[in-house]
Amino acid sequence: MTQKVFPIRSSRSPAPVHDGRPLADTLGRGLRDLRISVTDRCNFRCVYCMPRETFDHDFKFLPHEEILSFEEIARLARIFGGLGVKKVRITGGEPLVRRDLHRLVGLLAELPALDLTLTTNGSLLVKQAGALAKAGLKRVTVSLDSLDDATFRAINDADYPVARVLEGIDAAAAAGMAPIKINMVVKRGVNDGHVLAMAERWRGTGHIVRFIEYMDVGSTNGWRMDDVVPSAEIVRTIGERYRLEPAEPNYTGEVAERWRYADGAGEIGVISSVTQAFCSSCNRLRLSAEGSLFTCLFAQQGHDLKWRLRHGGSDEEIVNEIAAVWRARGDRYSEIRTAETAKARKIEMSYIGG
Ligand code: SAM
């Protein structure tokens, strides 16, 4: 199997000229967040994300020459900054498997007024946290689905122990990154019994755990609605043990709903992508490792930006192209999700960037 199993639109004729007004899509949503995937490869084979049966030895990942260089990514990030992007998240695949990632962090950290962060499975953080922090990375999100070693190894399907990720989190904290966010995807019958232990492990540490509803991204994980643990249930479970109070969002369009421990021991977040769709405030755009734009995590089609980038496109031409893609955007997949749409062929998260 190969990674490119979905259509990519490409406009090789000039896009309509961008008039400089703030971008708004067809539903009036602005552009604020950009997720940049730096690789489609990962050293984990999480059963719900990159199941080994599909992502095996024969799987054809993107060839190196198709992947954007750090300089190409930095140029695009600068252009996106000019279009109103305030936050950039580096992701993948597993971003830390991309060689010398700290170099990209250094280039992006130079861009003015950009909130830069990175999502990682944490397994390589011990080695890299120092270099990443030195290059300008101020905070990080680490995915960790259980503190129970057997469960965690079964989920990552690559025999990585929990201890390795915990060391990575400590290394990031020691390097000065804060706040550290810890993402746990909760799947019914797999790790829903581990929610309270996860909350308790990080309560009072300054780190923020975020519980994510299991989503129907991609087409390889056999998603079923029955597997989803609604966020309301998670808040109830933790709230029965520790009193929780709702907290205001940090900014409009923030994906996590924040809950504060009433005793001042910090906060948790829940991301209810399935039970409480937040399409109406979605201001995110994704750039795949090979330079295609995706206007929705559940998109079935991307838009090739690399062609213009590699064929002498000026900044102005690239601005026009991005503006045209955003202005045409009408995605609201999570609001119209049904059992039928969930079966549609969608792009894998490891490709598009989580
Ligand atoms: N490798 C990095 C990591 O592990 O964080 C970045 C990429 S990963 C695709 C980003 C996040 O997406 C992880 O927290 C992962 O658990 C989450 N994820 C993957 N598939 C998911 C799904 N079907 N539903 C919800 N979250 C998912």
Side-chain angles (χ1 to χ4, degrees), residues 120-188:
T120 172
N121 62 31
S123 62
L124 302 171
L125 259 183
V126 168
K127 277 193 200 139
Q128 299 187 29
L132 292 167
K134 204 166 156 208
L137 189 66
K138 298 205 167 48
R139 56 197 194 87
V140 70
T141 298
V142 179
S143 304
L144 178 60
D145 293 335
S146 177
L147 289 166
D148 175 74
D149 203 52
T151 308
F152 183 61
R153 286 180 200 251
I155 293 174
N156 69 55
D157 201 16
D159 218 24
Y160 275 94
V162 170
R164 176 84 68 94
V165 181
L166 297 181
E167 283 161 20
I169 292 171
D170 289 347
M177 292 185 213
I180 294 178
K181 292 184 181 159
I182 294 147
N183 277 0
M184 171 177 179
V185 176
V186 186
K187 192 172 171 189
R188 179 79 68 201

Side-chain angles (χ1 to χ4, degrees), residues 29 35 211-213 215 231 252-257 270-284 286 297-298 329 331-337:
R29 300 168 295 191
R35 299 198 174 187
F211 300 92
I212 304 177
E213 289 179 352
M215 293 181 283
S231 291
T252 314
E254 186 175 35
V255 287
E257 182 185 289
V270 288
I271 302 183
S272 322
S273 358
V274 178
T275 60
Q276 277 175 281
F278 35 77
C279 303
S280 62
S281 59
C282 180
N283 49 25
R284 271 173 301 289
R286 289 179 153 81
L297 179 55
F298 303 94
R329 176 186 193 244
D331 310 80
R332 51 186 202 98
Y333 177 87
S334 292
E335 285 179 354
I336 56 171
R337 173 187 286 111

Side-chain angles (χ1 to χ4, degrees), residues 63-312:
H64 190 70
E65 62 279 11
E66 292 301 328
I67 289 183
L68 297 187
S69 69
F70 290 160
E71 287 69 24
E72 287 172 327
I73 293 174
R75 178 177 176 209
L76 288 179
R78 178 177 51 73
I79 291 173
F80 276 110
L83 279 167
V85 165
K86 303 265 181 295
K87 176 172 164 188
V88 166
R89 178 177 295 281
I90 301 173
T91 180
E94 169 49 42
L96 300 192
V97 303
R98 175 106 185 233
R99 190 180 303 161
D100 295 333
L101 188 76
H102 61 92
R103 265 211 326 110
L104 175 66
V105 167
L107 295 174
L108 297 181
E110 276 173 18
L111 299 174
L114 207 60
D115 175 17
L116 179 64
T117 184
L118 175 146
T119 299
T120 172
N121 62 31
S123 62
L124 302 171
L125 259 183
V126 168
K127 277 193 200 139
Q128 299 187 29
L132 292 167
K134 204 166 156 208
L137 189 66
K138 298 205 167 48
R139 56 197 194 87
V140 70
T141 298
V142 179
S143 304
L144 178 60
D145 293 335
S146 177
L147 289 166
D148 175 74
D149 203 52
T151 308
F152 183 61
R153 286 180 200 251
I155 293 174
N156 69 55
D157 201 16
D159 218 24
Y160 275 94
V162 170
R164 176 84 68 94
V165 181
L166 297 181
E167 283 161 20
I169 292 171
D170 289 347
M177 292 185 213
I180 294 178
K181 292 184 181 159
I182 294 147
N183 277 0
M184 171 177 179
V185 176
V186 186
K187 192 172 171 189
R188 179 79 68 201
V190 175
N191 59 352
D192 49 338
H194 307 182
V195 162
L196 191 57
M198 186 67 86
E200 286 180 327
R201 173 67 178 77
W202 306 109
R203 226 179 85 82
T205 62
H207 302 347
I208 302 170
V209 192
R210 292 152 10 133
F211 300 92
I212 304 177
E213 289 179 352
Y214 173 51
M215 293 181 283
D216 51 328
V217 277
S219 314
T220 56
N221 65 10
W223 182 91
R224 293 174 320 135
M225 190 65 200
D226 290 352
D227 296 330
V228 178
V229 180
S231 291
E233 185 178 320
I234 288 168
V235 172
R236 206 165 46 241
T237 304
I238 300 171
E240 278 168 4
R241 179 71 186 79
Y242 302 100
R243 200 155 70 78
L244 290 171
E245 294 165 347
E248 287 298 310
N250 289 311
Y251 58 89
T252 314
E254 186 175 35
V255 287
E257 182 185 289
R258 300 172 60 210
W259 290 83
R260 189 183 298 122
Y261 289 112
D263 63 3
E267 67 179 75
I268 60 156
V270 288
I271 302 183
S272 322
S273 358
V274 178
T275 60
Q276 277 175 281
F278 35 77
C279 303
S280 62
S281 59
C282 180
N283 49 25
R284 271 173 301 289
L285 185 59
R286 289 179 153 81
L287 177 67
S288 75
E290 62 170 341
S292 293
L293 289 177
F294 290 88
T295 52
C296 176
L297 179 55
F298 303 94
Q300 291 177 273
Q301 190 169 49
H303 182 100
D304 173 29
L305 200 56
K306 184 175 61 186
W307 186 87
R308 206 170 297 281
L309 191 66
R310 293 202 173 162
H311 287 81

